[in-house]
Amino acid sequence: MAREPEAVVDGVAVDTRHWIGGERVDSAATFADVSPIDGRVLADIARGREAEAAAAVAAAKAAFPAWATTPRAERARILHAIADGVEQRLEELALVETHDNGALLRSHRRGVMPRVAHNFRFFADWLLDLGHEDFETRGHRNHVSWDPAGPSVLITPWNAPLMLATWKVAPALAAGNSVVLKPAEWSPLTASLLADIAADAGLPAGVLNVVQGYGAEIGDALTSHPDVRRISFTGSVPTAKRIAASAAANLTPLSLELGGKSPLLVFADADLDLAVQLAVEQYDNAGQVCLAGTRLLVEASIAEEFTRRFVEQAKALKQGDPRDEATDIGPNIHTRQLDKIDGFVRRALRTGARAVIGGHREDGLYYAPTLLTDVAQDSEIVQEEVFGPVLTMQVFDTEAEAIALANDSEYGLAASVWSRDADRPLRIAREIQAGTVWVNDWVAMRDEFEEGGYKQSGRGRLRGLASLDDFVEYKHIVLQPGVVGLGR
């Protein structure tokens, strides 16, 4: 008996099959997609393997030439139409993603899903402005163009599934590439809805393909495929290393947005009220944010007062059902992730750390917001990414010590510096080894600004015009004197 290919999540119908070459394609095997809110199975998802990977890449390869030569204005029109579709189905997308990954419904409604639509609009508008004027050197005319790279494999994470997927899908499509999107197996549902939205917007068949499954079964088949011209991955460092090894046989260029262990430096002259407020906000999305400032570095003279205010505000956070407007912290994504978080904390406590708040599981997939002090700089809890509602706090006496602590990490994704001094913040920001440094703020982002990291936080950039580099080939044409310029 054939299985039902559709799941209904909070009244929203979601197709659980792959989207390949403009058609729904099923697999013989499935995997269960479980809601972190209550452990309920939301859907049985088609479980792709090598055959589905090959079919998706073949579809992308076949669709690429026509899409690559589609005029920019037409590509931009379709991207805007996708954004329109996202906005029309915003409530459905918000409901489904909340059930699927446990993030706050209010955040999905007010911030995340509107941002998804804006991602497509930004790259559509940017596409129309892209270009270089011809220029002369020693009597020769020069022309620079951006050529689409080809079929691109995009592997996306579970903590903000649709928004982070569109940080890759939108620029890839704008550049003229065809795409195979592989969403995380813990949160695949909104990627399926995106396929429907893109098809309704008029995106040609095969330009966007969505395949589901486990990384070891379908991910390796995608990243090692010789017809893939670009790979973009967001996730953990160990997985990135496996992808890089898989891509190496074909020298496939790849971009990697990986983990973070970001420092939040608070000096004695900081606006303490605002610094504490933003520090507590690092528990956003149950701490499952790559940019989170999980290492609080506080000047010794204000450490006691900072801790008192932090604990007071953190204890006021409401943890519970993410569909409730009053909830501040929802569940963690999966039992494996919760076990990982709890293991980090237990080992830290056994080796001398002190839990000022939290330090334990709650019912279900909830973990108490935790702040650990008395932690050594070389300890696992300070050096390794936990990816949960767990922060550490260390004190420093001098500016030099603060910078040294901040940079003593294999990661370098982001940082924040808090001081009202006229010169210190910029001076310190220049010394911090991180892709983004905020001063007296946190996660103030615009699409014009790139995001990416130093060291093991990855290579390449998401968002901004620098994301173009991941999806194009640059071509320089040099013309003999007297040849008419090629324009844009």
Side-chain angles (χ1 to χ4, degrees), residues 355-439:
V356 178
I357 57 169
H360 56 83
R361 296 174 185 251
E362 303 284 5
D363 292 336
L365 291 179
Y366 296 82
Y367 202 87
T370 297
L371 177 64
L372 301 177
T373 60
D374 301 333
V375 291
Q377 177 62 21
D378 62 354
S379 63
E380 176 191 57
I381 197 67
V382 170
Q383 294 295 329
E384 296 294 328
E385 184 179 45
V386 178
F387 220 61
V390 179
L391 311 180
T392 62
M393 178 175 158
Q394 298 165 272
V395 299
F396 62 84
D397 291 307
T398 68
E399 187 176 304
E401 184 183 3
I403 294 170
L405 289 171
N407 287 339
D408 184 16
S409 171
E410 289 300 311
Y411 296 100
L413 190 57
S416 181
V417 180
W418 292 80
S419 169
R420 289 191 255 206
D421 184 278
D423 301 315
R424 172 189 282 157
L426 184 57
R427 182 172 66 244
I428 293 175
R430 286 172 171 156
E431 295 294 324
I432 297 293
Q433 298 166 1
T436 303
V437 181
W438 290 281
V439 173

Side-chain angles (χ1 to χ4, degrees), residues 74-362:
E74 176 63 8
R75 295 208 302 264
R77 185 193 66 78
I78 292 175
L79 290 180
H80 275 297
I82 294 173
D84 292 340
V86 169
E87 289 172 348
Q88 291 162 9
R89 301 187 67 178
L90 189 147
E91 181 67 12
E92 295 180 5
L93 292 166
L95 286 169
V96 170
E97 191 143 297
T98 292
H99 281 276
D100 208 12
N101 86 326
L104 300 184
L105 179 57
R106 73 182 191 213
S107 295
H108 282 137
R109 283 172 170 158
R110 300 170 191 170
V112 175
M113 295 309 164
R115 185 67 176 275
V116 168
H118 183 68
N119 288 342
F120 284 104
R121 296 200 192 284
F122 171 80
F123 285 103
D125 293 340
W126 155 81
L127 177 61
L128 297 177
D129 293 333
L130 178 65
H132 271 307
E133 296 297 329
D134 288 1
F135 60 97
E136 289 191 6
T137 56
R138 298 180 181 177
H140 289 74
R141 185 168 293 278
N142 296 265
H143 178 78
V144 177
S145 64
W146 290 265
D147 293 348
S152 302
V153 167
L154 314 179
I155 303 175
T156 55
W158 44 259
N159 57 320
L162 191 57
M163 184 179 73
L164 296 184
T166 59
W167 279 359
K168 301 175 187 293
V169 172
L173 295 180
N177 296 334
S178 52
V179 164
V180 179
L181 171 63
K182 191 274 181 194
E185 60 266 27
W186 288 350
S187 57
L189 297 181
T190 48
S192 181
L193 293 176
L194 179 63
D196 294 335
I197 291 169
D200 291 343
L203 189 69
V207 175
L208 172 64
N209 306 275
V210 179
V211 291
Q212 302 142 164
Y214 297 118
E217 295 180 346
I218 194 169
D220 290 347
L222 290 170
T223 56
S224 63
H225 200 292
D227 290 334
V228 170
R229 294 293 177 261
R230 289 293 187 275
I231 299 169
S232 182
F233 169 73
T234 296
S236 71
V237 171
T239 302
K241 291 180 179 179
R242 291 197 296 271
I243 290 173
S246 179
N250 300 308
L251 294 179
T252 308
L254 69 164
S255 60
L256 304 168
E257 199 269 345
L258 308 177
K261 196 69 178 176
S262 301
L264 193 154
L265 291 73
V266 183
F267 288 85
D269 62 347
D271 180 337
L272 202 54
D273 288 336
L274 188 57
V276 169
Q277 176 189 329
L278 269 291
V280 172
E281 288 185 12
Q282 305 311 304
Y283 293 128
D284 181 49
N285 200 22
Q288 299 168 140
V289 178
C290 59
L291 291 166
T294 55
R295 293 189 292 142
L296 308 182
L297 305 179
V298 182
E299 193 164 354
S301 62
I302 60 166
E304 184 176 346
E305 179 64 13
F306 179 94
T307 304
R308 184 189 68 78
R309 296 191 194 188
F310 181 95
V311 170
E312 181 181 352
Q313 291 191 33
K315 285 184 175 180
L317 295 172
K318 180 180 178 182
Q319 191 167 26
D321 192 323
R323 295 166 293 186
D324 185 340
E325 282 280 323
T327 297
D328 298 305
I329 301 178
N332 290 96
I333 183 75
H334 194 276
T335 53
R336 275 171 35 200
Q337 185 64 19
L338 190 71
D339 289 344
K340 176 185 173 185
I341 295 165
D342 193 47
F344 272 114
V345 174
R346 287 179 178 274
R347 290 190 296 273
L349 294 174
R350 284 200 300 266
T351 54
R354 179 171 68 93
V356 178
I357 57 169
H360 56 83
R361 296 174 185 251
E362 303 284 5

